[in-house]
Amino acid sequence: MTKRLVNRMMAVCIAFVMIIPSSSAKEGMWIPYLIGQLNADDMASMGMEISAQDIYDVNQSSLKDAIVHFGGGCTAELISSKGLLLTNHHCGYGQIQSHSSLENNYLQNGFWAMNGKEELTNPGLTASIVKYMNDVTNEVLSGVIATMDKEQRAAKIRENVEKILADNEGEYELEVKPFAYGNQYILIAKEVFKDVRLVGAPPSSIGKYGADTDNWMWPRHTGDFSIFRVYAGTDNKPAEYSEANVPYTPAQHLKVNLMGAKPNEFTMIYGFPGSTNEYLPSNEIAFIINEYDPARIAVRESLLETLDKKMRESDATRIQYASKYARISNAWKKWIGEVKGMKTTKAVERKQKLEREFTEAINKNDDWKSQYADVLPELMKLYDDRKPLMMQRYMFLETMYYGNELMRHLYGYRKLVSLYEEDNTEALETEAAKKAESLAGFYKNYDSELDEKAMKALLPVYLNAVSTEGASELLLKLKAMDEVTLNKYVTNLYAKSMVIADPEKWSASLKDNPKKAIKTLLKSDAYQLASASWTNFIDVINPQTSAYEVKIEELQARYMMGLKEVFPQRPFYPDANSTLRVAYGKVEGYKPMDGVQYGSHTYLDGVIEKYIPGDYEFDLPEKLIQLYKTKDYGIYAEGDKMPVCFIASNHTTGGNSGSPALNGRGELIGLNFDRTWEGTMSDYNYDVSLCRNIMVDIRYVLFIVDKFADAGYLVEEMDLITELPKEEAAAEEVAP
Ligand code: ARG
Ligand code: GLU
């Protein structure tokens, strides 16, 4: 990197902050503390009534104090002064499941604590609240000079980051995060609460209504919510679980608005989106559409088919595999929508057009030309060259990692094997005992017959993808086998695997004689295949992918910098990276295809229309049907109807699950939990005509809590808004 480039990086970083998007920007996930400079006017023009400081402020309380990173993967929000926390059912699923047994099946029947004593603890679950975010780009890049090579540069950055962390050490947990491929660095301080208790969850027939069939789909009728409570020490600071802990008093909690949101009304989503890739060049987008997604879809299709067959035959297998099936089918279905959406919105052509405009613009300006002329061609070449490697990588992950449980389980013995090889008896004994303890969790939801079938379907796919270059002797031997021989090999591998042959015996031998256990394990076909495939991934595929990543990252950073410089009027926002962001848009339906127009709201009538008694996806609790028949909706009704879900044009992604949907006054009107299928390509190519996020209406949530579960005491904790603001009410009255 040239010196000029480093200087320019600094200049553009600063310019980052000053670019004002001109048009109404529904696309984007914006950094909260920059909203005042970047988005506030746009948001106001769309109907936001509060200020940027109301959204994010470090000097006084603001909405940000109510937004929680839930367990690192989802979002949640504080909705009472007593630490009451709202998130999705699918975000609390693991906790609800862990408290469930055959006698107390909370997944099936729901769970409601009727007072604080009945709440359930969840070891390991955290709730983090951002205290402040500071731009530290200059500090991180300080002393990074042109003559440095990549390693020196990375080392200098690491050193600077260490210093920043040390300088800011105090009561909060700190982290320095790169944004926009390292064009910008932000220091984030957060309070991490560790005592988070389960308060309530509806039965899956409400919280997961429609399950996999309705997943990613609109119109939707799922009450995807669960309720927790954050506890703190008596000083209101994070504390490990203790009976002496008290409900946390947040600096701010959300007000709950029961008036709903009409089409075209302003909404925003405040949360922790996980990851997007909005600045990829056209060739990589084409690879995703034509190669990566289809290959991954095909593997999962074959796996899901195998699972489905057995799950239909056996109740036991269905219970064991429900959660695994949901996980595998979630991405599978998303990718299908993604490919479709990229094709309908002509994502490749769109990126090509941008690339042409960029190239034309830089060619007219000598300064830009010298800075950026190499960027796109080099970046695209890197993506071209990386393609075969990516296919290998994806195929390993899909077939042997996500696709095979025995292999994945065996990858977890690496530590034991290395202790055995080091002849470290003491540590081996401790670790083996731990492993033996943990085995029950694996066996509980494992069906080896099914796993063997999956292996027979997927091993040939894996072997076909593995490159002969760098492949071990075993992999080469298997690659050369014909179908029948390979099938026999798998049958034999499963038949002789001691890990699955007799769980009790295997546990006992790990505890009693770990040396002998590992020695026999090492000789097994199963472990040898696990070892060969894992080693190939770690020693052959990974180093090559990392080498590409370093180069790609640098060029992506320069490409984004160039785009910003060349098109200062266009909105550029950093890709999602699991940090706090705000997305905003409007409540609106969409046209999924020619001749079809979707509305923006669904109602309980639609839930009842989908009802299939006894079905595992569309069954309903009797009580809900009764409430529907008697129209017993309390204060939560809209006229004589019960609202259930709605959609809006907020730019969201995975991780935004559980995020609050706020109205123009910053009041809670819904709970984000999904996107529409036609719009899942928004991770690469947001298109306002098709991309919608899906939310549960907060009135449905409270109706279920109050009328269905009789846990109205929870609603009493909340600050409810049950009337329109005076001006709006007056306007409605005079309206014809
Ligand atoms: N599609 C939503 C998300 O990505 C919900 C997933 C959970 N639901 C399910 N049926 N798998 O995460
Ligand atoms: N269900 C997703 C999540 O768990 C949100 C849906 C999406 O990807 O937008 O975060």
Side-chain angles (χ1 to χ4, degrees):
M1 191 179 301
T2 64
K3 175 118 201 262
R4 242 174 107 201
L5 188 58
V6 175
N7 288 340
R8 177 173 293 262
M9 262 181 80
M10 302 277 195
V12 176
C13 288
I14 297 157
F16 250 122
V17 178
M18 296 193 269
I19 298 157
I20 293 153
S22 55
S23 64
S24 190
K26 290 171 184 170
E27 172 171 359
M29 302 162 167
W30 303 92
I31 299 174
Y33 72 81
L34 295 178
I35 281 178
Q37 293 158 53
L38 298 182
N39 317 93
D41 292 345
D42 188 32
M43 292 165 95
S45 78
M46 288 169 66
M48 185 172 79
E49 294 169 34
I50 56 174
S51 70
Q53 285 78 14
D54 294 327
I55 296 174
Y56 178 94
D57 202 333
V58 282
N59 299 314
Q60 43 201 324
S61 82
S62 61
L63 289 174
K64 93 161 170 28
D65 299 311
I67 314 302
V68 167
H69 207 181
F70 182 83
C74 279
T75 305
E77 50 278 356
L78 290 153
I79 52 170
S80 89
S81 60
K82 297 180 198 162
L84 206 59
L85 191 68
L86 181 64
T87 189
N88 289 143
H89 185 264
H90 79 262
C91 293
Y93 200 83
Q95 283 77 32
I96 305 166
Q97 186 176 38
S98 77
H99 294 295
S100 293
S101 59
L102 278 178
E103 303 79 58
N104 288 316
N105 193 340
Y106 299 142
L107 279 179
Q108 191 177 318
N109 307 322
F111 166 78
W112 301 95
M114 286 303 166
N115 54 55
K117 285 210 167 54
E118 289 179 6
E119 294 170 1
L120 301 172
T121 63
N122 301 288
L125 178 62
T126 57
S128 309
I129 300 171
V130 171
K131 301 307 284 189
Y132 63 83
M133 300 171 80
N134 281 339
D135 191 300
V136 289
T137 312
N138 290 341
E139 290 91 321
V140 171
L141 296 180
S142 139
V144 173
I145 51 168
T147 48
M148 286 178 166
D149 64 25
K150 287 194 181 70
E151 281 77 35
Q152 289 169 323
R153 186 171 190 274
K156 184 72 198 163
I157 288 180
R158 251 197 322 274
E159 182 192 318
N160 289 341
V161 167
E162 291 302 324
K163 184 167 178 335
I164 295 167
L165 294 178
D167 289 349
N168 289 280
E169 209 180 304
E171 59 174 319
Y172 303 131
E173 289 200 12
L174 300 175
E175 140 185 70
V176 173
K177 274 255 189 186
F179 284 64
Y181 300 99
N183 274 323
Q184 192 176 13
Y185 289 86
I186 296 179
L187 171 68
I188 302 168
K190 49 198 177 169
E191 230 167 13
V192 182
F193 291 87
K194 299 184 176 85
D195 185 353
V196 185
R197 304 184 193 171
L198 178 63
V199 173
S204 292
S205 52
I206 291 173
K208 206 187 163 181
Y209 189 61
D212 298 312
T213 301
D214 267 13
N215 191 22
W216 300 112
M217 304 298 260
W218 184 255
R220 190 65 157 275
H221 299 89
T222 315
D224 195 344
F225 78 95
S226 60
I227 300 178
F228 289 77
R229 194 188 297 280
V230 179
Y231 279 76
T234 43
D235 56 357
N236 207 35
K237 297 275 173 222
E240 294 295 335
Y241 170 80
S242 155
E243 258 188 66
N245 285 348
V246 293
Y248 169 62
T249 309
Q252 192 163 121
H253 61 269
L254 300 180
K255 295 196 175 91
V256 179
N257 187 306
L258 297 188
M259 301 309 291
K262 297 186 181 54
N264 280 323
E265 225 184 280
F266 172 87
T267 59
M268 61 185 168
I269 297 288
Y270 209 163
F272 294 87
S275 142
T276 58
N277 270 294
E278 309 287 351
Y279 305 98
L280 296 179
S282 54
N283 63 332
E284 178 69 354
I285 294 287
F287 295 152
I288 295 168
I289 300 176
N290 301 321
E291 323 249 350
Y292 303 153
D293 274 1
R296 293 189 290 175
I297 290 166
V299 174
R300 289 204 179 199
E301 208 139 81
S302 127
L303 183 59
L304 288 168
E305 205 180 297
T306 311
L307 297 184
D308 185 67
K309 225 182 260 158
K310 182 92 192 269
M311 284 167 74
R312 279 180 196 282
E313 286 163 10
S314 150
D315 285 347
T317 310
R318 197 170 54 248
I319 294 166
Q320 284 181 315
Y321 279 75
S323 169
K324 285 176 202 167
Y325 188 94
R327 201 167 47 237
I328 292 163
S329 92
N330 192 41
W332 164 76
K333 195 163 178 185
K334 180 193 159 182
W335 292 328
I336 298 175
E338 189 168 274
V339 170
K340 203 165 132 38
M342 295 238 248
K343 284 183 181 162
T344 22
T345 54
K346 299 198 164 40
V348 174
E349 286 88 333
R350 202 146 135 188
K351 302 280 179 189
Q352 282 170 341
K353 180 166 169 274
L354 177 69
E355 287 155 11
R356 268 199 311 276
E357 288 168 356
F358 179 72
T359 310
E360 274 165 26
I362 60 170
N363 280 337
K364 285 189 199 131
N365 175 321
D366 283 343
D367 195 22
W368 286 346
K369 197 170 167 180
S370 68
Q371 284 307 318
Y372 299 120
D374 61 325
V375 171
L376 258 178
E378 273 189 33
L379 185 59
M380 293 177 79
K381 180 166 187 317
L382 282 172
Y383 281 122
D384 279 340
D385 294 347
R386 192 185 65 160
K387 191 180 78 173
L389 194 62
M390 283 311 273
M391 277 306 246
Q392 278 195 67
R393 188 182 176 80
Y394 281 137
M395 289 303 97
F396 164 77
L397 290 171
E398 289 301 321
T399 59
M400 305 297 274
Y401 191 76
Y402 300 117
N404 190 273
E405 295 185 81
L406 179 58
M407 288 299 118
R408 200 162 162 187
H409 177 70
L410 290 175
Y411 298 148
Y413 284 79
R414 290 188 315 280
K415 191 166 177 191
L416 290 180
V417 169
S418 67
L419 290 173
Y420 168 84
E421 282 165 350
E422 288 160 21
D423 210 14
N424 188 341
T425 315
E426 203 177 312
L428 177 63
E429 276 170 6
T430 325
E431 286 302 319
K434 263 197 230 160
K435 175 61 89 191
E437 285 304 314
S438 73
L439 284 175
F442 167 69
Y443 291 125
K444 181 170 171 249
N445 289 330
Y446 181 69
D447 177 332
S448 72
E449 200 188 294
L450 191 51
D451 202 38
E452 181 178 332
K453 282 210 178 97
M455 173 71 100
K456 283 182 175 156
L458 300 188
L459 183 60
V461 181
Y462 168 65
L463 293 171
N464 189 32
V466 168
S467 156
T468 43
E469 222 167 291
S472 67
E473 225 170 276
L474 174 63
L475 292 182
L476 289 175
K477 190 180 102 191
L478 296 177
K479 248 175 111 69
M481 273 182 193
D482 63 55
E483 214 185 299
V484 179
T485 324
L486 192 63
N487 225 32
K488 273 195 201 134
Y489 163 82
V490 175
T491 308
N492 191 47
L493 179 151
Y494 274 82
K496 293 213 178 119
S497 163
M498 61 280 258
V499 173
I500 52 182
D502 186 343
E504 264 162 44
K505 197 168 152 200
W506 178 241
S507 290
S509 71
L510 269 179
K511 266 191 229 152
D512 302 340
N513 192 345
K515 254 191 192 171
K516 191 167 156 228
I518 299 298
K519 193 175 167 193
T520 26
L521 181 74
L522 284 172
K523 282 195 215 130
S524 68
D525 277 345
Y527 193 80
Q528 287 184 6
L529 179 59
S531 170
S533 55
W534 183 260
T535 309
N536 189 270
F537 180 64
I538 296 297
D539 294 347
V540 183
I541 300 178
N542 254 357
Q544 296 181 59
T545 0
S546 309
Y548 274 110
E549 253 155 39
V550 173
K551 291 188 223 155
I552 284 176
E553 176 122 343
E554 188 195 326
L555 284 159
Q556 283 282 179
R558 287 175 59 202
Y559 182 39
M560 213 178 148
M561 200 181 350
L563 286 172
K564 271 171 182 294
E565 203 173 348
V566 172
F567 306 117
Q569 288 313 311
R570 298 188 191 178
F572 288 100
Y573 52 92
D575 274 311
N577 59 353
S578 294
T579 59
L580 189 59
R581 303 292 180 95
V582 173
Y584 57 98
K586 287 182 171 184
V587 175
E588 48 186 326
Y590 68 108
K591 244 179 104 137
M593 63 190 107
D594 189 34
V596 179
Q597 177 68 42
Y598 281 160
S600 54
H601 286 73
T602 59
Y603 295 88
L604 194 54
D605 309 64
V607 176
I608 303 294
E609 273 167 27
K610 285 180 177 173
Y611 173 44
I612 307 173
D615 185 75
Y616 87 102
E617 296 187 296
F618 292 100
D619 201 6
L620 282 172
E622 191 46 44
K623 182 156 183 197
L624 186 67
I625 299 171
Q626 280 313 315
L627 289 167
Y628 172 74
K629 282 189 181 150
T630 53
K631 302 268 175 292
D632 186 4
Y633 301 153
I635 55 169
Y636 311 107
E638 184 181 289
D640 61 351
K641 286 162 82 128
M642 185 66 236
V644 174
C645 291
F646 65 106
I647 49 175
S649 49
N650 298 296
H651 190 179
T652 56
T653 189
N656 270 126
S657 273
S659 299
L662 306 169
N663 67 11
R665 288 178 296 282
E667 299 152 355
L668 184 67
I669 53 170
L671 180 60
N672 186 70
F673 70 98
D674 211 357
R675 272 175 291 166
T676 57
W677 200 50
E678 298 82 359
T680 50
M681 78 304 189
S682 64
D683 291 346
Y684 302 108
N685 181 46
Y686 182 91
D687 187 311
V688 75
S689 70
L690 279 179
C691 295
R692 296 291 176 273
N693 66 311
I694 308 181
M695 296 149 282
V696 206
D697 197 300
I698 198 67
R699 293 169 293 183
Y700 190 52
V701 172
L702 298 197
F703 159 74
I704 297 294
V705 170
D706 186 353
K707 290 285 176 177
F708 177 81
D710 292 319
Y713 84 99
L714 294 172
V715 178
E716 277 165 28
E717 275 183 36
M718 303 172 199
D719 296 340
L720 300 186
I721 294 161
T722 54
E723 279 171 18
L724 289 173
K726 284 200 187 71
E727 324 80 74
E728 270 177 47
E732 289 227 329
E733 249 167 51
V734 294

